[in-house]
Amino acid sequence: MEKLRIVGGNRLQGEVRISGAKNSALPILAATLLAEGVMRVGNLPHLHDITTMLELLGCMGVEVAINEDMSVETDCRNVHSQVAPYDLVRTMRASILVLGPLLARYGVAEVSLPGGCAIGSRPVDLHLRGMEAMGAQVEVLDGYIRATAPEGGRLRGAHIFLDTPTVTGTENILMAAALADGRSVIENAAREPEVVDLANCLVAMGAKIQGIGSDTLIVDGVETLHGCHFHVLPDRIETGTYLVAAAVTGGKVRCRDTDPAIMDAVLVKLREAGALITTGPDWIELDMTGRRPKAVNIRTAPHPAFPTDMQAQFVVLNAVAEGVGTVIETIFENRFMHAPELVRMGAEIHVEGNTAIITGKSRLNGAPVMATDLRASASLVLAALVADGTTDVNRIYHIDRGYECIEEKFQQLGANIRRVTG
Ligand code: EPU
């Protein structure tokens, strides 16, 4: 088993290149199933989840070619299967994103029902209700979602109100609606930048979508979509993670190839914590001028509010800050698994229901800790970077799902971090 071994105490300094966004790349790769011609997707992050999605497309018959610049070309001419098997879905819940495209393009889809995961129960009922509203017959049998389009094989446009603005649910319904017969209106849609990126990609493929970036998406279905070249947007969560790393170590870090325009909620909180932030069109620099951050209160909520995927990192910021910070998680019911691990490193955190109250300490101590999910793992790495002594972060396969070359990027910023086996 691989782990990350980190010796804390180095003030991070320098520049880091931000990769393409995982949560944008995944739906965009799923959307390639909708294209009649060849699609080329660039700025894909080199991550396990991306490999899993490509494997999933490959097992359906999509021809996938990887170019020298790491862009991927997909060709759906020889698709022969509309099944997303359990073995792949269980390793990556986002496999559910092929449901909408398969159903819209081929009239059938068989996707293993994702189970619960470390951060909550994560149902997909809203995805399924959306497909049903568009006329699909949906049943769950033997652990699989089996969906069939109405007679004639084409979904019908529908008015869909989402109880909660689910990100992948909005994406699934949007992809299905793009090829449906007639107009669909998706109300209370998720507005995350990754949903916007997918919508822009669909438009580049010939889809007719209005209201992109708002909570009401109006989609006039078209008969076919064509291939296009698309460049995935930068990863705002990776960006935020490196900025927090700079903040907790008192350092100065510039993230390049990123987009400050999609980072407002996080930048506001970093400024409140005392960081000096400067931005350019595609870069963000954080300078902590050697000071300790001040505690900040956080409440996660759908975009444009504070992202749940940055919550764990800000728990660490508060754990080493001056003062007491409260962090409220409103998206997932079980997303404080990092708290007990951080307490093992000397943090003072009290969790009550969906609220964590964190009293900042001037020091944390290195300890062996265990990662439970992707963002929790990132938070343990941040804590280790500032802790006294050595920390081993175990079960880092979670981190490799979402952070490209994490140890190389941190080494470049002056961290003492390496991957060890055993
Ligand atoms: N929900 C339902 N029914 C549904 C769908 C969602 O009740 O049919 C609930 C969920 O249980 C949750 C809330 O709605 O309480 C929001 O979940 P959402 O569906 O928005 O999450 P998701 O689409 O499964 C994506 C990201 C997550 C990110 C969340 C929230 C991808 C591939 N995943 O998940 O990313 O935390 O949105 O922003 O886009 C990560 O990258 O580490 C990660 C977990």
Side-chain angles (χ1 to χ4, degrees):
M1 278 268 245
E2 289 187 332
K3 47 180 124 174
L4 287 176
R5 181 160 293 163
I6 300 155
V7 183
N10 294 1
R11 189 169 283 180
L12 298 193
Q13 217 121 41
E15 197 173 277
V16 61
R17 183 193 176 265
I18 298 304
S19 304
K22 165 180 83 77
N23 289 348
S24 176
L26 291 171
I28 286 171
L29 287 175
T32 65
L33 281 166
L34 295 165
E36 297 273 330
V38 172
M39 278 283 289
R40 182 195 276 205
V41 187
N43 203 29
L44 284 176
H46 190 58
L47 298 171
H48 272 192
D49 274 9
I50 301 299
T51 315
T52 307
M53 182 56 90
L54 292 174
E55 201 182 327
L56 178 59
L57 295 176
C59 79
M60 292 170 183
V62 179
E63 279 157 35
V64 177
I66 302 178
N67 300 319
E68 265 173 28
D69 62 354
M70 287 305 290
S71 67
V72 160
E73 280 181 28
T74 61
D75 184 341
C76 296
R77 241 170 314 193
N78 296 320
V79 167
H80 52 71
S81 155
Q82 287 77 35
V83 180
Y86 174 71
D87 278 347
L88 288 174
V89 178
R90 80 187 163 87
T91 62
M92 186 184 70
R93 301 179 50 82
S95 308
I96 186 76
L97 284 164
V98 298
L99 177 69
L102 286 175
L103 193 53
R105 173 95 190 266
Y106 303 98
V108 288
E110 216 173 293
V111 179
S112 175
L113 185 68
C117 82
I119 60 178
S121 59
R122 303 185 75 181
V124 291
D125 54 317
L126 299 173
H127 303 229
L128 304 190
R129 267 193 252 161
M131 302 303 144
E132 281 171 340
M134 286 189 266
Q137 289 263 0
V138 180
E139 57 175 355
V140 177
L141 211 65
D142 306 326
Y144 275 78
I145 302 161
R146 291 173 210 265
T148 323
E151 249 187 64
R154 191 164 179 209
L155 294 171
R156 295 188 295 262
H159 196 114
I160 295 161
F161 175 83
L162 295 172
D163 279 354
T164 190
T166 157
V167 173
T168 48
T170 302
E171 292 165 346
N172 239 335
I173 295 167
L174 184 61
M175 290 187 279
L179 279 187
D181 187 11
R183 173 169 282 197
S184 297
V185 179
I186 312 170
E187 275 195 84
N188 200 26
R191 289 185 282 163
E192 270 63 7
E194 294 75 20
V195 178
V196 171
D197 211 34
L198 170 67
N200 288 334
C201 176
L202 290 170
V203 168
M205 293 165 73
K208 297 205 168 106
I209 307 173
Q210 298 172 57
I212 295 175
S214 79
D215 63 1
T216 306
L217 294 167
I218 301 168
V219 190
D220 287 303
V222 294
E223 285 195 13
T224 55
L225 291 169
H226 51 77
C228 71
H229 288 193
F230 199 79
H231 188 86
V232 171
L233 98 166
D235 196 314
R236 65 196 164 104
I237 307 302
E238 189 195 26
T239 307
T241 303
Y242 284 102
L243 294 176
V244 174
V248 294
T249 61
K252 181 178 176 184
V253 166
R254 178 182 286 222
C255 295
R256 63 178 167 85
D257 294 344
T258 187
D259 183 357
I262 54 175
M263 299 281 308
D264 285 341
V266 169
L267 297 185
V268 161
K269 287 294 164 185
L270 286 169
R271 285 195 170 106
E272 204 181 310
L276 299 175
I277 307 253
T278 40
T279 60
D282 62 353
W283 57 265
I284 305 174
E285 187 172 282
L286 180 144
D287 189 354
M288 208 61 204
T289 61
R291 283 167 302 131
R292 233 176 118 185
K294 292 190 279 265
V296 289
N297 295 329
I298 302 285
R299 186 175 191 277
T300 68
H303 192 79
F306 192 90
T308 173
D309 290 341
M310 282 302 299
Q311 178 258 99
Q313 298 87 321
F314 271 76
V315 167
V316 173
L317 183 135
N318 279 333
V320 298
E322 280 168 17
V324 179
T326 302
V327 173
I328 304 176
E329 170 61 52
T330 76
I331 307 290
F332 293 113
E333 67 270 24
N334 191 28
R335 212 174 193 182
F336 281 123
M337 302 279 275
H338 40 289
E341 296 300 303
L342 293 170
V343 167
R344 299 188 58 256
M345 298 177 72
E348 193 176 326
I349 307 174
H350 296 283
V351 177
E352 273 181 41
N354 70 346
T355 304
I357 300 162
I358 304 132
T359 306
K361 302 282 271 296
S362 56
R363 328 196 71 89
L364 296 179
N365 313 307
V369 287
M370 198 151 75
T372 47
D373 76 81
L374 171 55
R375 308 303 169 187
S377 325
S379 78
L380 298 177
V381 171
L382 299 188
L385 289 172
V386 67
D388 291 339
T390 303
T391 296
D392 278 350
V393 181
N394 292 285
R395 296 207 182 157
I396 51 162
Y397 50 84
H398 292 294
I399 265 201
D400 293 331
R401 292 187 33 220
Y403 289 89
E404 183 174 48
C405 302
I406 190 162
E407 67 270 36
E408 283 90 341
K409 288 190 181 185
F410 272 125
Q411 279 162 5
Q412 222 176 298
L413 297 174
N416 184 339
I417 176 171
R418 66 198 163 96
R419 192 175 286 251
V420 295
T421 311

